[in-house]
Amino acid sequence: MRIDIVSIFPEYLRPLELSLIGRAAGSGGPLQLQVHDLRDWTDDPHRTVDDSPAGGGAGMVMRPDIWGRALDDVLGAPAPPTDSTPDQPHRTVLAIPTPSGMPLTQRTVEDLATADHLVIACGRYEGIDARVAEHYSERMETIEFSLGDYVLNGGEVAALALVEAVARLLPGVVGNPESLEEESHGAAGLLEYPVYTRPIQWRGHEVPEVLLGGHHARIARWRRDRALERTAARRPDLLAALAPEQVYPDDRGTLAPLGWGVTATGPVPLRVRPARPDDAARLSSVASATFPLACPPELDAEAIAEFIAAHLTRERFEEYLADSERYLVLAGEMGGEIAGYTLSVLPRSAGEAPYAADVAEVVGERPAAELSKIYVLPEYHGSGLARTLLTETLRVLGGVRIEGEPLAVVWLGTNARNRRAQKFYAAAGFERRGRRTFQVGGREMNDAVWARPPLESAPRAVAD
Ligand code: ADE
């Protein structure tokens, strides 16, 4: 590849003689690099390259006639012979750094690394007369790029950055091409995990133990989790842009506590919050859509409809939401829309027994709250939402005080034959206590009763 840089400060680009880029640009290397002084194309004794802005205003603008002469010459310079074919002809790109350009990304850099000839035009002052970019973009591939949302004094630093980013992708420049794969902005779409070396102890900070154990699968998982965490904290835009196939099933457990659920379209923000009175209609529709799916197959549609009409209407939710001493309703949002909820029933007094005698028998601790519903729309099953709803509910219940006493236990009943549910509660630390019978639309159902203490948390108002 050939790179030409045109600048009024050619000395500024001397660092390109150093390090890997310098070596790549040495004789026999994959890069031919030439830096040119724009003033060589001036024709007055003062070697003037700028003039005052048309229309007035501060600063000076670089003249198009000088740039035109310089670029015509440099673009016409012979680039290294390539095996160009009619399908892939010789490719020359003019790159103009400017704060008003498109943000430079690794994708652009990867694309530019396939060109044969790259010419970089470094502006100074208020920039280059706009007709220069206009003229060349009509005749050849031209990009105006920005390093970021800040203003530099000129394009030279951006040119250095571009050359370094492009040149390291040329074959033979970076010693170990594997190091290109997992790096930030690579194919994974995530920021890179943190890296460490010896000494293992340094100023009270240790290299994470997992990296010293030699267990490759564990190290890979740890690195992936750190990459997800970093990306969630620093570049949520990158997480949101991940394609579904870039997210692995094992990522869900890491992403959910970071506030991200995984859907068919990729990651979306996941949030659990106390439900508000104006959520009643949406909660009712989520409940009505999910309840039938949790019912055993022998339950007929009429019985299910009867239950929904009695317990899962908007009016019933309005009642729940109006009585925060009795009910705790948490809404689970995916991408800003309620996709699941939990409904917990609190005792009105510390000694109040669970309403069903068969439950009271196997759940003896008091005060006892019932986790009555935890429902997630089917399209969000496996997204991490149910898990986060459950954890957050147990945490909020941990802060509840009944007559000054913290809850001793949270219990729930779930269809004894729903294996998925049983596994889910067992994994969340619930213990199976026994059975209870439960009426749905006049039919008697057999439920397993599970219980566990709430998660410890500071006392807090349920409705905050
Ligand atoms: N020239 C001045 N500021 C710049 C920026 N942010 N990116 C590229 N070129 C520039």
Side-chain angles (χ1 to χ4, degrees):
M1 177 185 231
R2 176 178 173 126
I3 300 182
D4 288 281
I5 307 175
V6 185
S7 159
I8 57 166
F9 294 122
E11 291 293 297
Y12 213 122
L13 297 143
R14 290 288 292 275
L16 291 172
E17 291 165 17
L18 306 172
S19 184
L20 292 178
I21 308 300
R23 201 179 326 144
S27 63
L31 187 62
Q32 282 180 18
L33 185 65
Q34 286 263 353
V35 179
H36 310 267
D37 187 344
L38 178 69
R39 294 192 200 276
D40 290 349
W41 283 274
T42 54
D43 49 11
D44 67 314
H46 299 291
R47 311 213 323 146
T48 311
V49 293
D50 58 345
D51 207 335
S52 51
M60 300 292 271
V61 175
M62 293 187 112
R63 283 166 45 180
D65 51 338
I66 315 286
W67 270 110
R69 286 200 292 268
L71 291 176
D72 286 350
D73 279 355
V74 171
L75 287 164
T82 52
D83 37 8
S84 64
T85 61
D87 288 348
Q88 276 192 308
H90 184 94
R91 182 173 169 217
T92 301
V93 182
L94 173 62
I96 306 175
T98 160
S100 55
M102 303 282 282
L104 185 66
T105 65
Q106 188 66 16
R107 299 292 88 75
T108 311
V109 167
E110 282 162 4
D111 175 54
L112 291 176
T114 68
D116 302 287
H117 189 188
L118 184 59
V119 175
I120 308 175
C122 301
R124 281 260 149 187
Y125 317 121
E126 292 307 304
I128 303 173
D129 184 301
R131 289 168 293 177
V132 173
E134 206 177 293
H135 170 85
Y136 286 98
S137 64
E138 285 164 5
R139 284 159 183 80
M140 60 176 296
E141 200 179 333
T142 302
I143 61 160
E144 293 180 81
F145 74 93
S146 169
L147 275 198
D149 295 343
Y150 42 83
V151 179
L152 306 166
N153 275 337
E156 287 75 11
V157 167
L160 286 171
L162 180 63
V163 173
E164 180 142 335
V166 166
R168 66 193 288 280
L169 299 182
L170 300 178
V173 175
V174 168
N176 178 6
E178 258 179 44
S179 66
L180 301 177
E181 271 169 35
E182 283 190 334
E183 66 190 10
S184 299
H185 312 296
L190 300 173
L191 299 182
E192 196 182 12
Y193 49 79
V195 295
Y196 302 85
T197 186
R198 277 177 286 272
I200 289 164
Q201 296 263 7
W202 180 76
R203 297 191 179 177
H205 299 265
E206 284 186 22
V207 173
E209 210 176 325
V210 60
L211 301 179
L212 307 172
H215 192 299
H216 296 303
R218 252 182 242 153
I219 292 172
R221 183 69 250 163
W222 184 90
R223 287 180 165 163
R224 175 92 185 159
D225 288 344
R226 301 293 81 71
L228 290 166
E229 268 171 21
R230 270 191 166 177
T231 311
R234 300 176 183 178
R235 294 294 305 275
D237 57 312
L238 295 182
L239 263 193
L242 287 185
E245 62 273 13
Q246 288 176 298
V247 189
Y248 310 135
D250 287 352
D251 293 341
R252 290 166 189 223
T254 310
L255 285 171
L258 299 172
W260 290 84
V262 181
T263 70
T265 62
V268 299
L270 177 163
R271 186 164 83 107
V272 174
R273 59 166 176 82
R276 300 182 300 257
D278 63 333
D279 293 327
R282 174 74 187 164
L283 289 168
S284 158
S285 77
V286 169
S288 312
T290 45
F291 177 74
L293 306 164
C295 292
E298 69 273 14
L299 202 63
D300 53 80
E302 216 174 289
I304 295 176
E306 216 175 281
F307 185 91
I308 292 175
H311 299 288
L312 304 179
T313 57
R314 173 191 180 145
E315 291 72 25
R316 280 311 295 255
F317 275 99
E318 277 167 355
E319 282 170 36
Y320 298 143
L321 292 165
D323 188 356
S324 63
E325 298 214 332
R326 187 55 149 177
Y327 301 105
L328 167 71
V329 188
L330 296 187
E333 290 180 344
M334 291 289 267
E337 171 112 73
I338 294 178
Y341 75 97
T342 62
L343 171 70
S344 306
V345 184
L346 308 173
R348 291 216 189 266
S349 64
E352 184 181 307
Y355 61 87
D358 46 4
V359 175
E361 238 170 67
V362 292
V363 180
E365 306 95 317
R366 305 284 179 270
E370 179 193 6
L371 176 56
S372 170
K373 304 277 184 308
I374 171 163
Y375 285 152
V376 165
L377 287 173
E379 56 267 41
Y380 296 110
H381 285 178
S383 67
L385 179 59
R387 195 59 214 260
T388 310
L389 266 168
L390 179 58
T391 309
E392 200 44 36
T393 302
L394 289 171
R395 208 191 310 279
V396 175
L397 289 173
V400 167
R401 297 292 176 266
I402 307 293
E403 297 176 324
E405 277 186 57
L407 290 167
V409 72
V410 180
W411 70 270
L412 61 92
T414 180
N415 187 285
R417 278 174 296 153
N418 185 343
R419 288 256 181 91
R420 207 170 63 93
Q422 317 288 313
K423 259 178 78 176
F424 175 69
Y425 294 120
F430 279 81
E431 171 189 272
R432 194 175 168 138
R433 293 285 181 90
R435 286 175 175 255
R436 68 151 181 184
T437 52
F438 175 65
Q439 298 282 325
V440 178
R443 293 194 52 157
E444 199 156 277
M445 306 274 84
N446 222 331
D447 267 7
V449 175
W450 294 77
R452 63 155 287 159
L455 286 167
E456 262 177 45
S457 64
R460 69 194 228 191
V462 167
D464 67 0

